Amino acid sequence: MSLFNRLKKKFSGKADKEEFEQTPVTDEMKDADLDGDGLISIEEFEEWEQEQVGYKFKQGLEKSREKFQDQINQLMATYRKVDEDFFEALEEVLITADVGFETVMELTDELRDYAKLKNITETKELREVIVEKMIEIYERNGDLDESMNMQDDLTIILVVGVNGVGKTTSIGKLAHRYKSEGKDVLLAAADTFRAGAINQLEVWGERVGADVIKHQEGSDPAAVVFDAVNAAKRRGTDVLIVDTAGRLQNKGNLMKELEKMKRVIQRVDENAPHEVLLVLDATTGQNAMLQAKAFNEVTELTGLVLTKLDGTAKGGIVLAIKNELGIPVKFVGLGEKIDDLEIFSAENYVYGLFADMIDNAEEVVEDERTE
């Protein structure tokens, strides 16, 4: 089954904005109650839930989708024939969407080969193929695990990132997500370098109902982590999330600091930390790529949290990060609300980025059937 057909089947289009924002889950359950017993099957609930998340990605990626699709439509209108001028113009469109230079070159080379193989001469015949090829490239690193490495007992997550990317906010939203799942969450304020970082984390702790282990500003971050790990073990905590400093301008000190924290953690669990997440601001585009490369040199990253994806027209950065850095995106920020940190899904992302194109393709198929 092609990517477009798969996404058409998965996203039925039942979830619109009014339903998403206003309809309580219980009403949806009643609407889907096929047996009249007041209950809904697991399959029906999962389908409803998927529609809601799919709409959230569609809404969150609106800026990226509109810009990208407008540029593709303009490109197809300007270049009717498949030639080198068309491919060069396509390369420019993709690069401005922050898909990444290496990814763009790989994509256009494959499109050239495909056009020759299929003897395609009109650009409109490549519209869906462009999307298909982008996702094929993304999915080639299929060995990368996008799920969180959650443990049966204590899961320890280190969170890194430079100032201003939304690191502490992401920690708060992540804590809220795990609290909503019924897990006991503890936060560690190990970013003792940045003024106000400890207070900011405390505010989030109060908001989501998670205790914060802290010391004074300027204290040893590893000492905070030591106390936090021991407290987590003593309390039977499910998830410990550690906020760390992001002094990327001084890589040597940052590396020593993170290594010291890891040594402290591994005295309790030699396999911890179980996740090292880097928070990146999607609106910074290629600068986010540079930060990811730099942090990956300092510490072994297990995944990325991409914030403010709803605030940028350069959503292609997700493709560039996965293909060029080989680091999985695990969470994306799709809004300002406390529950707007979503688990990353390649299919949800593709749908959000190309929803209009996918929906239009579906309408064409339906029109052809009625003729």
Side-chain angles (χ1 to χ4, degrees):
M1 183 183 295
S2 71
L3 170 74
F4 270 63
N5 288 336
R6 192 166 80 234
L7 293 181
K8 289 172 199 172
K9 185 176 180 180
K10 185 171 183 179
F11 299 101
S12 65
K14 295 176 185 175
D16 57 24
K17 184 173 183 178
E18 183 176 354
E19 177 186 21
F20 178 77
E21 294 181 341
Q22 298 178 10
T23 305
V25 177
T26 51
D27 287 349
E28 282 297 324
M29 288 181 171
K30 291 175 183 177
D31 290 342
D33 176 19
L34 303 181
D35 299 325
D37 58 2
L39 300 175
I40 182 174
S41 70
I42 293 175
E43 291 79 10
E44 289 164 343
F45 177 76
E46 288 178 347
E47 181 181 350
W48 174 86
E49 191 175 41
Q50 181 57 60
E51 288 177 6
Q52 309 308 302
V53 176
Y55 175 75
K56 206 166 190 177
F57 271 80
K58 181 178 179 180
Q59 186 182 39
L61 286 161
E62 184 176 3
K63 290 183 179 179
S64 292
R65 181 174 63 256
E66 287 182 352
K67 182 179 179 182
F68 184 77
Q69 292 185 168
D70 285 348
Q71 289 179 327
I72 290 293
N73 290 336
Q74 185 176 351
L75 185 67
M76 298 294 180
T78 304
Y79 300 91
R80 300 299 179 94
K81 299 297 181 182
V82 176
D83 55 22
E84 193 55 32
D85 288 340
F86 163 74
F87 285 117
E88 288 180 1
L90 176 61
E91 288 172 0
E92 186 176 345
V93 167
L94 295 172
I95 289 173
T96 58
D98 271 351
V99 173
F101 181 79
E102 292 179 20
T103 307
V104 169
M105 294 301 105
E106 187 177 347
L107 172 64
T108 51
D109 283 347
E110 292 192 12
L111 286 171
R112 287 183 179 93
D113 293 340
Y114 184 89
K116 289 178 183 178
L117 180 65
K118 299 294 184 179
N119 197 27
I120 294 175
T121 58
E122 296 186 12
T123 57
K124 66 180 181 180
E125 296 181 59
L126 287 177
R127 184 188 300 271
E128 292 187 14
V129 180
I130 291 171
V131 180
E132 297 267 8
K133 290 295 181 183
M134 288 175 72
I135 305 313
E136 280 181 19
I137 290 172
Y138 181 89
E139 291 181 340
R140 276 173 199 163
N141 285 323
D143 57 325
L144 295 179
D145 190 358
E146 293 171 346
S147 63
M148 291 290 284
N149 181 27
M150 304 303 291
Q151 307 298 299
D152 292 333
D153 47 9
L154 174 62
T155 300
I156 301 176
I157 303 170
L158 285 186
V159 183
V160 301
V162 301
N163 295 342
V165 296
K167 176 164 60 76
T168 308
T169 299
S170 295
I171 289 171
K173 290 182 177 181
L174 192 59
H176 170 72
R177 169 175 284 278
Y178 290 131
K179 289 285 289 186
S180 299
E181 294 175 0
K183 293 181 172 63
D184 185 59
V185 180
L186 188 64
L187 306 178
D191 183 357
T192 60
F193 178 76
R194 180 171 64 88
I198 297 172
N199 289 338
Q200 188 180 0
L201 191 66
E202 281 188 299
V203 170
W204 271 106
E206 291 176 5
R207 186 176 180 186
V208 303
D211 288 344
V212 178
I213 303 299
K214 64 174 183 175
H215 288 190
Q216 293 181 340
E217 280 188 18
S219 58
D220 183 0
V224 179
V225 173
F226 177 82
D227 286 349
V229 171
N230 282 296
K233 293 294 288 186
R234 187 173 60 252
R235 300 180 187 187
T237 300
D238 297 306
V239 182
L240 170 62
I241 307 176
V242 182
D243 185 14
T244 69
R247 297 180 297 225
L248 192 55
Q249 68 274 18
N250 193 330
K251 289 185 184 179
N253 286 353
L254 180 59
M255 182 181 293
K256 290 178 182 177
E257 192 172 282
L258 291 172
E259 286 177 349
K260 189 176 179 181
M261 288 185 200
K262 288 181 179 179
R263 287 198 303 273
V264 167
I265 292 170
Q266 287 167 356
R267 291 176 189 172
V268 176
D269 184 343
E270 62 181 9
N271 297 315
H274 305 101
E275 293 283 351
V276 181
L277 302 180
L278 171 64
V279 181
L280 296 172
D281 182 342
T283 64
T284 62
Q286 286 300 305
N287 189 42
M289 282 280 290
L290 296 175
Q291 288 178 28
K293 289 178 181 178
F295 267 101
N296 210 31
E297 293 171 0
V298 171
T299 187
E300 186 176 351
L301 300 173
T302 61
L304 304 176
V305 179
L306 203 56
T307 66
K308 308 174 190 177
L309 198 59
D310 60 311
T312 181
K314 297 185 176 184
I317 191 67
V318 175
L319 294 170
I321 287 172
K322 173 78 178 287
N323 189 50
E324 298 179 24
L325 299 183
I327 305 172
V329 176
K330 299 206 172 185
F331 293 95
V332 290
L334 297 172
E336 299 296 326
K337 296 177 183 177
I338 195 170
D339 58 351
D340 282 337
L341 186 70
E342 287 293 333
I343 295 172
F344 180 76
S345 155
E347 287 194 346
N348 286 334
Y349 166 74
V350 173
Y351 178 70
L353 199 56
F354 303 107
D356 299 337
M357 198 179 292
I358 292 167
D359 293 343
N360 288 338
E362 184 175 23
E363 289 169 9
V364 170
V365 172
E366 290 174 350
D367 289 344
E368 289 176 350
R369 287 174 181 170
T370 58
E371 288 179 358

